Amino acid sequence: GNRAKRTGRGRADAGLDPAVAASRLRAMIDAFDGFIYICSRDYRVEYMNERLIERTGYDGTGQPCYRVLHGRDEVCPWCINERVFAGETVHWEIQSPKDRRWYSIVNTPVSNPDGSLSKQALIRDITDSKRTESDLKHALDRLEHEVEIRTAELQMKNRQLQEEIGDRKRAEEALAASEDRYRSVIDNIGIGISLISPTMEILALNRQMRTWFPGIDVAHKPVCHRAFNAPPLDEICPWCPTVKTLRDGQVHESVTETPSADGVRHYRIVSSPVQDRDGRITAAIEMVDDITEHFRSQQVVADSEARYRAIFETTGTATMIVEEDMTISMVNAEFEKESGFSKGEIEGKRRWTEFIHGEDLEQMKAFHTRRRVDPDSVPRSYEVRFRDRGGRVVAVGSTTVRTLE
């Protein structure tokens, strides 16, 4: 009862043995696919998760954070410790000078049992998300051309229980402090986490899941496929990865089509097993990401590309797209007809200069070069002699449109 008051809510697992509760929380934190560390006010590392230890190459607990993380001999000039120890939660992004990858960082103050404060850092690799945003913008700027959105796979691991502490009272105090710390980490992660029983009952939800599904009370252990869908489903969701994990003990992933009051939403779910000491599967952890906006953006790009391709192919005029090195990257059906070559023979293999009469070629090449420096310095439309596969030369009108890079 006292612990429930301290954490701010009555949890369905409040009556569990502290070791079991700590095991669940440790499994949840080990499922986080990023780096976690905690340091003191004087920059000393107090905790590193396994992934950060693997990346660093050693356990740097007790050493200065700037040395462990960045190999520096003094405090980092971008350090935000003062803001965090003043009580502020700081969200920021940085491109690491070490590996040139982008990371999202959430720094929060954490209260210790003795009343002191520590700084907690949650670090996620968002390089692929950054690239996805850049690819999407690039595609829209190029008349909504093809965008490939790549996302990083969430990988989850389970970790063994910490070694038993001899003195029971000290063990209970340590487990209570550990439970509070892990609960703080889980509730501050920007993705949803849920714990599902072998009978598909919801045992626990983190803050993000409660935000998405405010009507769910885990104390009643509702069945997941009824609670997460509106209207409720009577059968297990056809895309459910969790039922597979509960059956075979493996990690599974899928993207949902979840009905809700504001339409269908899409979540990426990665499910991972929770096992007891005998290897029996006692539950499954779901890591949940709302990718609805990404999904809709992909559909918009796909629709735009389809419209662009339809216009390109049906314009009735021989049309080609030329790269900076003069290679032809795309032609339409009318260009095939006029040139006598198929797309397979042209695209990525031939240069536009091969289709221009020799007496016009130097001027055309000069236009090509100047256009990339100052598009207004050369005419957009002019007459040129075109040469087809059989060597036949015809005068044609040429109009050039420069696409955005």
Side-chain angles (χ1 to χ4, degrees):
N2 292 336
R3 190 174 302 163
K5 291 179 182 178
R6 183 173 64 254
T7 57
R9 59 180 170 278
R11 297 185 298 274
D13 57 0
L16 289 177
D17 181 86
V20 175
S23 173
R24 286 185 175 179
L25 291 171
R26 185 174 295 278
M28 290 184 183
I29 189 59
D30 286 340
F32 176 55
D33 67 334
F35 308 126
I36 303 171
Y37 75 91
I38 296 174
C39 72
S40 63
R41 189 183 295 269
D42 62 354
Y43 308 102
R44 295 289 175 179
V45 175
E46 298 177 336
Y47 169 78
M48 297 171 64
N49 73 338
E50 191 65 27
R51 290 181 184 272
L52 185 53
I53 292 173
E54 291 176 2
R55 178 181 182 273
T56 305
Y58 64 95
D59 187 345
T61 302
Q63 299 187 34
C65 57
Y66 47 82
R67 180 175 301 144
V68 174
L69 299 177
H70 303 294
R72 294 176 57 86
D73 294 326
E74 58 186 5
V75 177
C76 303
W78 57 82
C79 183
I80 43 77
N81 268 20
E82 290 187 7
R83 294 169 60 187
V84 175
F85 283 103
E88 181 180 353
T89 295
V90 182
H91 300 249
W92 56 300
E93 296 178 359
I94 187 173
Q95 185 177 27
S96 171
K98 182 176 181 180
D99 56 14
R100 306 305 300 170
R101 297 183 69 81
W102 280 93
Y103 296 92
S104 173
I105 305 174
V106 180
N107 291 116
T108 55
V110 176
S111 296
N112 297 310
D114 63 0
S116 65
L117 286 179
S118 295
K119 182 190 76 174
Q120 170 184 282
L122 307 180
I123 308 172
R124 297 183 69 196
D125 188 329
I126 60 169
T127 304
D128 290 331
S129 296
K130 284 285 188 182
R131 289 173 180 167
T132 297
E133 293 173 7
S134 177
D135 288 345
L136 180 58
K137 183 178 183 301
H138 182 69
L140 293 176
D141 289 343
R142 289 177 60 103
L143 301 178
E144 300 174 330
H145 198 37
E146 180 180 6
V147 172
E148 295 180 358
I149 300 179
R150 298 176 183 176
T151 56
E153 178 184 3
L154 296 172
Q155 298 179 345
M156 311 191 55
K157 294 180 180 180
N158 292 308
R159 190 176 180 181
Q160 294 181 345
L161 293 170
Q162 65 179 20
E163 294 182 355
E164 182 179 358
I165 302 175
D167 183 80
R168 183 175 180 80
K169 181 177 180 180
R170 289 177 56 200
E172 290 181 352
E173 291 174 351
L175 287 171
S178 176
E179 178 183 352
D180 290 342
R181 177 169 290 174
Y182 291 146
R183 176 68 65 180
S184 173
V185 171
I186 290 168
D187 274 343
N188 284 283
I189 292 176
I191 58 176
I193 300 178
S194 59
L195 188 67
I196 307 298
S197 76
T199 56
M200 308 308 290
E201 295 174 334
I202 303 173
L203 302 179
L205 299 174
N206 76 338
R207 181 178 299 163
Q208 182 62 74
M209 290 295 287
R210 293 195 302 273
T211 299
W212 287 336
F213 303 97
I216 296 179
D217 184 354
V218 296
H220 298 153
K221 296 184 178 180
V223 176
C224 60
H225 54 81
R226 293 190 60 82
F228 288 143
N229 295 282
L233 296 182
D234 293 327
E235 303 292 337
I236 293 175
C237 305
W239 53 78
C240 180
T242 305
V243 69
K244 298 178 183 178
T245 294
L246 291 169
R247 183 169 57 244
D248 62 19
Q250 301 298 312
V251 174
H252 291 278
E253 177 180 352
S254 70
V255 175
T256 76
E257 296 181 4
T258 304
S260 66
D262 59 349
V264 175
R265 300 200 67 81
H266 301 277
Y267 298 94
R268 178 184 294 111
I269 300 179
V270 178
S271 59
S272 178
V274 177
Q275 299 175 330
D276 62 17
R277 294 181 179 179
D278 298 324
R280 291 188 296 266
I281 300 173
T282 59
I285 297 173
E286 293 181 335
M287 303 289 284
V288 185
D289 232 344
D290 187 346
I291 62 170
T292 304
E293 295 308 316
H294 287 297
F295 192 89
R296 291 172 180 171
S297 295
Q298 283 183 298
Q299 189 60 50
V300 168
V301 171
D303 291 345
S304 297
E305 180 184 357
R307 288 195 299 270
Y308 169 75
R309 288 186 181 275
I311 293 172
F312 184 79
E313 288 292 344
T314 61
T315 182
T317 301
T319 306
M320 63 179 171
I321 295 178
V322 177
E323 301 303 322
E324 185 173 1
D325 64 357
M326 302 185 188
T327 301
I328 300 173
S329 59
M330 186 182 297
V331 298
N332 65 357
E334 189 66 24
F335 192 93
E336 288 183 292
K337 177 181 175 182
E338 294 293 337
S339 68
F341 289 92
S342 68
K343 291 184 178 182
E345 294 174 299
I346 299 174
E347 294 178 345
K349 299 176 181 178
R350 294 182 179 273
R351 296 186 175 190
W352 62 264
T353 54
E354 299 177 40
F355 298 95
I356 304 301
H357 188 275
E359 295 179 4
D360 296 338
L361 185 56
E362 289 306 316
Q363 182 183 48
M364 289 283 290
K365 289 170 67 174
F367 283 174
H368 177 84
T369 302
R370 288 166 53 192
R371 184 177 295 110
R372 293 183 174 276
V373 177
D374 182 6
D376 295 330
S377 68
V378 294
R380 292 182 64 246
S381 299
Y382 41 83
E383 187 173 288
V384 66
R385 282 169 288 181
F386 181 85
R387 184 173 59 195
D388 65 12
R389 184 172 197 151
R392 183 174 62 96
V393 176
V394 295
V396 297
S398 173
T399 298
T400 303
V401 177
R402 184 167 183 252
T403 60
L404 296 176
E405 295 298 333

